[in-house]
């Protein structure tokens, strides 16, 4: 399984960015996918995730501002980010687990369940 993120960049506070994650190397739709982020010196945190049944879950810090979506036909996961804040600055990672996950809470909070990660894309908000 290969994951490649794109769409990161620099934006002013209040601006928007759209991240994409192109997935390849597997078939089927019952996989768990999510976005997480990490700042240097901090732990990686789940931002948004989609469970195997399509239910989504967001971190409280991004609820109402970020939208995650998964296109099963194209194997693309996107993260639409609006009203960006300086604290959203981080490297954003896409992750996938083809064996699936039991719930959106698990998909968001249990980063260790993901067996496949992209290299990350930098988002800077100033």
């Amino acid at each position: 399984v290969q994951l490649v993120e794109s769409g990161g960049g620099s934006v002013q506070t209040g601006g928007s960015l759209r991240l994409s994650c192109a997935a390849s190397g597997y078939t089927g739709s019952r996989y768990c996918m999510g976005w997480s982020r990490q700042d240097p010196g901090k732990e990686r945190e789940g931002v948004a995730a989609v469970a195997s049944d399509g239910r989504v879950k967001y971190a409280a810090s991004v609820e109402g501002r970020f939208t995650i979506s998964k296109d099963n036909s194209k194997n693309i996961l996107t993260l639409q980010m609006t009203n960006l804040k300086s604290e959203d600055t981080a490297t954003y990672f896409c992750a996938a687990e083809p064996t699936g996950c039991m719930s959106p809470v698990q998909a968001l909070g249990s980063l260790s369940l993901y067996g496949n990660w992209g290299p990350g894309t930098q988002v800077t908000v100033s």
Side-chain angles (χ1 to χ4, degrees), residues 112-123:
S112 60
L113 76 88
Y114 292 102
N116 305 277
W117 291 85
T121 185
Q122 178 66 36
V123 172

Side-chain angles (χ1 to χ4, degrees), residues 29-54:
S29 61
R30 288 194 62 78
Y31 45 89
C32 195
M33 295 191 76
W35 289 95
S36 63
R37 65 188 181 188
Q38 187 170 23
D39 239 355
K42 296 183 180 179
E43 290 189 2
R44 190 170 299 188
E45 62 172 352
V47 173
V50 183
S52 300
D53 61 3

Side-chain angles (χ1 to χ4, degrees), residues 32-120:
C32 195
M33 295 191 76
W35 289 95
S36 63
R37 65 188 181 188
Q38 187 170 23
D39 239 355
K42 296 183 180 179
E43 290 189 2
R44 190 170 299 188
E45 62 172 352
V47 173
V50 183
S52 300
D53 61 3
R55 290 181 293 164
V56 302
K57 181 71 175 175
Y58 298 94
S61 59
V62 307
E63 185 89 49
R65 299 188 297 121
F66 291 11
T67 302
I68 188 172
S69 60
K70 181 160 66 88
D71 186 332
N72 293 327
S73 65
K74 298 179 180 179
N75 281 354
I76 294 177
L77 181 74
T78 61
L79 184 69
Q80 179 67 48
M81 305 185 293
T82 63
N83 192 20
L84 283 162
K85 305 175 181 180
S86 58
E87 50 262 44
D88 296 318
T89 295
T91 300
Y92 284 70
F93 299 90
C94 171
E97 179 46 55
T99 61
C101 52
M102 296 179 64
S103 73
V105 172
Q106 181 192 32
L108 181 69
S110 300
L111 299 184
S112 60
L113 76 88
Y114 292 102
N116 305 277
W117 291 85

